[in-house]
Amino acid sequence: MDLLQKLNEEQYNAVTYSDGPLLILAGAGSGKTRVITYRIAHLIKAKGIPPYAIVAVTFTNKAAEEMRNRIKGLIGPIGESVMIKTFHSLAVYILRRHGDAIGITPNFTIYDSRDQESLIKDLLRDMHIDPKAVKPAMIAEKISSIKESSHYIQGGDITLLLPKYHSFNFQEIFTSYQQKLKHANALDFSDLLIYTVQLLRNSQVLTTLQSRWRYFMVDEYQDTNFAQYLIAKYLASQTKNICVVGDDDQSIYSWRGADIRNILNFEKDYPDATVITLHRNYRSTAPILQAASYVIKNNYRRKDKKLTAHRGDGEPITVCTANNEYGEAEYVINTIASLKHTEHYSNRDFAIFYRTNAQSRIFEEHCRRENLPYIVVGSVKFYERKEIKDILAYMRFIANTDDTVSLLRIINTPSRGIGASTIEKLRDAAYVHTTSEWNIIANNQNYSYKLSPALHSFKELMQKLIDRVNDIPAHYRLSEICISILNDTQYKSTLESENSIEARGRLENIDAFVNSIVEYEHLHPEATLFEFLQDISLLSPADETNASAPEGNNAITLMTVHNAKGLEFPVVFLTGMEEGLFPHANAIDSDEGIEEERRLCYVGITRAKDRLFITSAELRRSWGTTQFKEASRFISELPPALCQFHHYSSSYNNWDMPKTNNHNNYRNNDNYTTTALHNNDSQYTVNQRVKHPSFGVGKITAIQGKGDNVKLTIQFLNGFTKTFLEKYTPLEPLS
């Protein structure tokens, strides 16, 4: 194809590679999406592979849609026949069609994390445990981690994996949770993958799928967990035509099950695999890319690769140490204002990254003070807002009346006089008769259960909605169902009568939701209610990111570094670069933890296209106390020749000295007042000049600690200041 002329040598080799296992190591900004889409187009146009024989799997609906559109742009409408899905939506596709082989009915409901928590709250009440004392979110997270473990998936005894709590029996909760899911005909996100693995162990089902699907592409392979690894391995076991694309240096999701070993061991799984490295970076300037390379090369568990900057030279990295977190935020916002004026950037060109969500508050305050529009990615997501969850619960219950979680959410929403006592009696009756709550309501006469007037009205209301959906022809309008729910349940009129600012905001969100359904209808004119609810349930954080920051919105972006993966901005501020914060305190006790934090830093750095600013604070408040902060070890891994070092003191000086006598030396308006500390555990003295192999000549301004924990604070000639552990720091005394 003429289009192949647009590819560089490595991309061309990856796109035109023939049958067999292929690992594409795609460095940051190296054009991996182009390679994936061109490879699929090449298979169809040049190799004559039917599009329906190709499966491409990625991690977000946004990425899948982008891939689909690019392929259609390359080869036309025939590209629509390629199976392009996320792992979870592919699992749903398989389970809906073949799940009967392992007892999974096609109309199962998908429970998200909020639904899990609601179900667990009910279980805790049944066990007479206060949900406020035992967080359902914690229980849900632990259940998911157990279910997604290789031990559980391989059918091993999970007794040793179950946590031991004195106040309750976790195994009882785990067992009851699984039973509740089964009774509700529901699967959680972990189940979607686990049951798909079980299903693919059925030789008849696997043969059926393999007879159609012959080529497999897996994007972001470094982010796969054990179940996803097995799904890909089983599906490709016959043809071995599996192409995985990823970057081990960007594996940052171990906390949600991602296993970096999947990509590192690909050549062990497929000994005849070919490896192609995409090393040309088209995003960042040379200083940014070199800085990232210097940091990540300190990791041991990685495949060696050297990226080259296609864009060439650019501005040096700016490293700024502020006197406190207020100074840090003030510096960032002032720099944004300056760059907008001098270099004509727009608000949308700036991104402020931080390690934890809690750090966003102070940047938000400064943006508001300067009247700068901003977007916080990772706040309450659109589909997790109460009013949207309520309407979706109505729709989900109509689609599956065994969905008890949805029923209990809507039964008195809006308020219709069905109190906690009535609901408790209903739940008891369902428990005694081992049936669903709706079955008790709908067929109360069969269970000698007397409905209250309010419950009887609710029964008639829901039956009317259920019958209306069932009576509508196959190509019914989903928006009409939503509008019927809003009107018939008086949900909309209740908010209108409230006439408050909050109610108006909720009505605006509902309006946006209805509009989104209309847009969905245009894109998927034949979609059923089941399919719509499935697509909504499978929305990922990255898809929400796209919804929260529309392309036309000219605002500064604030987000965690985890949320930044896959994005790019002309100007990036990587903030809070301090020991205990980035790298995070939870990670510094293990080599694996530090390496993942370093990969996260690498991801943050490589999001920047033109300019990169790395900031830290000398003092930061934590739990009401002021703490001295040591600059991140990742800053010391940057080559000084690539950096410009600055110090910034804010006008917030009323608390920048901690109320303690442990520290005697602090920077004040770029000047140190030093006190010669007598420390018999150190071979150095305050004010002594030393030479560091990376930072050059500097002066010791403080000595703290004892034994192996002696710390030296050194101010270097370039203005940069860092605190080192003396035991591990090679210094040359100069005086």
Side-chain angles (χ1 to χ4, degrees), residues 399-625:
N400 174 15
T401 55
D402 287 330
D403 185 353
T404 299
V405 168
S406 293
L407 172 65
L408 295 179
R409 183 181 185 97
I410 66 176
I411 195 168
N412 198 44
T413 304
S415 179
R416 50 176 62 95
I418 302 176
S421 176
T422 300
I423 295 173
E424 193 66 25
K425 291 177 182 177
L426 175 64
R427 293 182 67 249
D428 289 343
Y431 179 80
V432 169
H433 294 286
T434 63
T435 188
S436 69
E437 282 79 353
W438 175 250
N439 198 22
I440 297 291
I441 296 172
N443 304 291
N444 62 295
Q445 64 278 2
N446 296 339
Y447 301 98
S448 302
Y449 184 86
K450 185 177 180 180
L451 298 179
S452 66
L455 207 52
H456 182 76
S457 297
F458 176 73
K459 170 186 174 180
E460 292 183 335
L461 167 65
M462 295 311 302
Q463 195 62 60
K464 175 183 174 183
L465 289 169
I466 293 168
D467 292 340
R468 182 176 297 166
V469 170
N470 291 335
D471 290 340
I472 295 175
H475 300 302
Y476 52 74
R477 293 179 60 82
L478 297 171
S479 55
E480 292 176 358
I481 297 175
C482 182
I483 291 171
S484 294
I485 291 171
L486 291 169
N487 292 334
D488 293 353
T489 65
Q490 298 183 351
Y491 195 101
K492 183 170 179 282
S493 61
T494 299
L495 288 174
E496 289 172 337
S497 62
E498 186 178 323
N499 196 30
S500 65
I501 295 176
E502 181 181 3
R504 288 196 292 271
R506 290 184 173 179
L507 285 168
E508 290 171 358
N509 290 335
I510 292 172
D511 182 37
F513 179 57
V514 174
N515 291 337
S516 72
I517 296 178
V518 173
E519 293 172 5
Y520 183 91
E521 289 172 336
H522 287 308
L523 294 173
H524 310 279
E526 297 183 3
T528 64
L529 179 59
F530 278 114
E531 290 169 333
F532 169 74
L533 293 173
Q534 170 184 302
D535 289 347
I536 292 297
S537 297
L538 293 173
L539 280 174
S540 71
D543 298 305
E544 289 284 358
T545 295
N546 186 49
S548 301
E551 198 171 316
N553 198 338
N554 188 18
I556 299 166
T557 301
L558 279 64
M559 63 170 68
T560 64
V561 191
H562 279 102
N563 280 332
K565 187 172 179 292
L567 304 177
E568 59 182 38
F569 299 89
V571 184
V572 164
F573 293 86
L574 195 54
T575 67
M577 293 294 290
E578 302 142 24
E579 288 292 305
L581 190 54
F582 199 173
H584 197 275
N586 293 342
I588 59 179
D589 291 334
S590 69
D591 292 339
E592 292 82 3
I594 286 296
E595 290 209 352
E596 178 149 333
E597 290 290 297
R598 187 175 282 112
R599 292 194 293 269
L600 187 60
C601 179
Y602 174 84
V603 166
I605 292 173
T606 54
R607 299 311 94 194
K609 297 169 66 176
D610 303 334
R611 301 289 296 272
L612 174 65
F613 295 82
I614 297 177
T615 65
S616 63
E618 292 174 331
L619 302 173
R620 191 177 292 272
R621 271 187 177 155
S622 177
W623 296 100
T625 62

Side-chain angles (χ1 to χ4, degrees), residues 337-388:
S338 175
L339 289 175
K340 285 175 61 179
H341 177 70
T342 60
E343 300 186 24
H344 308 293
Y345 284 110
S346 299
N347 291 320
R348 67 169 63 89
D349 295 327
F350 298 97
I352 302 172
F353 297 162
Y354 34 79
R355 179 62 180 80
T356 66
N357 277 305
Q359 291 168 253
S360 74
R361 178 188 61 83
I362 194 165
F363 293 107
E364 291 185 65
E365 290 177 358
H366 279 72
C367 283
R368 286 195 294 267
R369 181 188 308 148
E370 299 300 325
N371 199 27
L372 290 172
Y374 66 92
I375 296 169
V376 181
V377 175
S379 56
V380 178
K381 300 177 178 65
F382 182 81
Y383 288 103
E384 291 182 359
R385 292 170 181 166
K386 179 185 182 303
E387 57 276 11
I388 306 303

